[in-house]
Amino acid sequence: TAYSLGRVSGFFVPKIFSDGNNGAFYVWHDERGGANSTSYVQHFTPTAMKLFPINGTASSTLPGRLHNDAWLAYTPLNGETYMFWYETNSSSQSIYGVYGQKFSASGSRMWPDSGIAFRPFGGGQPSFIRCFAKDSSAVVFYLDGVNVTTNLVRGFKVDRNGNMLWGGTIKNVGSVSSGKGRLTGGITANGTSLVTWADKRLDDNGIYAQN
């Protein structure tokens, strides 16, 4: 059992990620104790032993916010785990940001308990947040909401201390404002990031890619 305290959030399918050694990470968000919805993670060994605290470790303890729809990437090199999610105000869900956290091999938060804001709080809603790890760094891609129907594709890279690389900025990966969805990607053995998405800029859903 990954979680047994009740109040699992609706409109969300929990995610499972391989640790590359026959174990797995389980990621979800819940509203335990009546608190605001928060993303949690648990790491299981191949024999189903829990490596993180019972009922998982929270991405953030910052009150008054929702910390939702997290994605995860694991770095076997040092046993650390990256998590990124979208952050929003719990009152009206009208302001958004992209936040991240890093966990130790035992599930302790290694960055501030509130996480780190990589896309500052404000602006349109991020979606399809995806992250991928290579060596000790992580690359993050997401759809950045321009309005309720159109998005840009944006991305950034961080080191294990939470510093932004790639010149310290968020990059435009797909800079045409259009309806987009189904973002996915990965990192090759030489460290090249690949990202693909569905895009309605010219037709009902073309497939676009960038590296």
Side-chain angles (χ1 to χ4, degrees):
T1 301
Y3 170 66
S4 60
L5 298 178
R7 293 188 63 85
V8 174
S9 302
F11 310 106
F12 176 75
V13 178
K15 305 179 182 81
I16 296 176
F17 301 86
S18 171
D19 67 1
N21 193 33
N22 296 316
F25 293 90
Y26 195 64
V27 176
W28 70 98
H29 60 248
D30 66 62
E31 301 167 0
R32 63 187 66 183
N36 289 323
S37 180
T38 297
S39 292
Y40 286 81
V41 57
Q42 180 60 264
H43 187 186
F44 290 96
T45 69
T47 58
M49 182 177 73
K50 299 179 182 71
L51 297 178
F52 287 7
I54 300 298
N55 290 308
T57 303
S59 56
S60 172
T61 60
L62 185 66
R65 300 272 187 87
L66 307 182
H67 325 280
N68 284 355
D69 204 15
W71 198 266
L72 178 146
Y74 178 58
T75 58
L77 181 69
N78 45 38
E80 295 172 346
T81 304
Y82 291 98
M83 179 189 280
F84 296 87
W85 65 91
Y86 80 78
E87 187 99 348
T88 185
N89 52 327
S90 60
S91 57
S92 61
Q93 298 185 43
S94 59
I95 305 172
Y96 298 90
V98 176
Y99 279 58
Q101 182 62 263
K102 190 180 74 169
F103 304 94
S104 70
S106 61
S108 297
R109 288 184 293 272
M110 301 183 74
W111 292 345
D113 283 345
S114 58
I116 296 176
F118 293 101
R119 198 207 81 176
F121 204 56
Q125 181 176 0
S127 61
F128 284 93
I129 296 174
R130 302 289 185 261
C131 63
F132 311 99
K134 179 72 170 65
D135 299 325
S136 61
S137 61
V139 176
V140 181
F141 298 103
Y142 62 96
L143 300 184
D144 204 355
V146 176
N147 54 46
V148 295
T149 60
T150 65
N151 304 274
L152 305 176
V153 183
R154 309 195 78 190
F156 59 90
K157 185 177 183 178
V158 301
D159 66 17
R160 64 196 303 256
N161 296 315
N163 300 309
M164 290 184 67
L165 305 176
W166 287 352
T169 62
I170 297 176
K171 302 296 184 181
N172 282 325
V173 178
S175 58
V176 174
S177 179
S178 57
K180 297 180 176 66
R182 301 186 181 277
L183 185 80
T184 189
I187 297 182
T188 68
N190 68 2
T192 299
S193 302
L194 306 172
V195 60
T196 65
W197 64 93
D199 198 311
K200 296 184 177 182
R201 69 180 71 174
L202 294 176
D203 52 29
D204 190 46
N205 253 326
I207 299 173
Y208 286 71
Q210 183 60 277
N211 68 351

